[in-house]
Amino acid sequence: VTLDNAIKLLMVKSANDMAVVIAEGISGSQDGFVFEMNAAAQSLGMNGTRFKNPHGLPDDEQVTTARDMALLAQALVKEFPEHEMFFRIPALQLGKHTLRNYNRLIDRYPGADGMKTGFICASGFNLVASAHRGNQRLIAVVLGSHNATARAEQAAMLFERGFQAGAGLEVLLGGSKNVATIANVAQDPFSMWEQMCGKKRNRRVAMADSGDELDDDDDD
């Protein structure tokens, strides 16, 4: 597996095994890579984030915030523009199989150009999305949605508010003009496990990113 293909599988299908392969290839071990992840997060001012593994699978000590994910996305856009194509791949063709990106905004929302989805039972459905119109580019972060459709719709609504003519971003940022100036709230993270995968569900959601198998009608 080439690094190029590993990254594409990671970005399009959230291939957790590819995250491990890349981490071990770069740092020699998962622990070594996680150490570098946390060092990079601190350098970006992501003071509400603590990484415990390279793929995002469940760990009670692994936490982040919407504000921190926005900072990370902003840094990726500014510092690595030559790699943006990895964030906007709509699908991959593997033999006779077509693997479609879990980010439903790509090829559906005008101007959408990435970035990444995520799901575990404790955190629900999450999305860091990017979109542009003219010379304006926005990043939207949605955490804790109840299904894949809802997280895409919520991100699209944020984009529409942000792209409105004459609307200052401070409207969305609580009066601040810079996401870095927003303080992370000092509180324990909330677990959505019971809502997402508990007895209220007819079927437990897989520890995967799709959510296509999720029954939307059985959650009050």
Side-chain angles (χ1 to χ4, degrees), residues 11-27:
M11 298 307 301
V12 173
K13 296 303 289 183
S14 294
N16 298 310
D17 51 351
M18 292 297 100
V20 172
V21 169
I22 294 170
E24 293 178 343
I26 291 175
S27 303

Side-chain angles (χ1 to χ4, degrees), residues 78-220:
K78 290 182 177 180
E79 297 181 26
F80 303 101
E82 69 275 20
H83 298 307
E84 281 194 45
M85 54 83 57
F86 286 116
F87 294 103
R88 60 170 68 111
I89 302 172
L92 293 176
Q93 190 71 34
L94 292 180
K96 297 181 180 180
H97 301 284
T98 300
L99 306 179
R100 299 198 178 279
N101 198 314
Y102 291 136
N103 184 350
R104 299 185 179 187
L105 295 178
I106 296 177
D107 284 349
R108 298 182 185 181
Y109 182 83
D113 51 20
M115 292 185 142
K116 191 70 191 75
T117 61
F119 168 83
I120 61 170
C121 291
S123 302
F125 291 84
N126 311 294
L127 172 63
V128 178
S130 172
H132 68 274
R133 288 184 186 174
N135 60 357
Q136 187 177 21
R137 184 169 189 172
L138 298 180
I139 293 169
V141 181
V142 176
L143 303 182
S145 288
H146 285 78
N147 56 62
T149 299
R151 71 181 172 193
E153 291 177 345
Q154 290 166 338
M157 290 174 61
L158 287 173
F159 283 141
E160 286 302 305
R161 288 180 61 189
F163 283 128
Q164 284 178 3
L169 286 181
E170 58 268 25
V171 174
L172 300 178
L173 297 178
S176 172
K177 294 185 178 181
N178 189 332
V179 67
T181 64
I182 299 175
N184 281 314
V185 178
Q187 66 182 40
D188 292 333
F190 175 77
S191 174
M192 297 181 64
W193 198 98
E194 191 60 37
Q195 299 175 42
M196 301 305 305
C197 302
K199 295 180 180 179
K200 289 186 177 182
R201 293 291 183 188
N202 291 334
R203 290 178 296 173
R204 177 173 172 172
V205 184
M207 287 290 188
D209 189 39
S210 161
D212 292 336
E213 75 278 24
L214 184 61
D215 292 332
D216 294 334
D217 295 332
D218 57 0
D219 181 45
D220 297 328

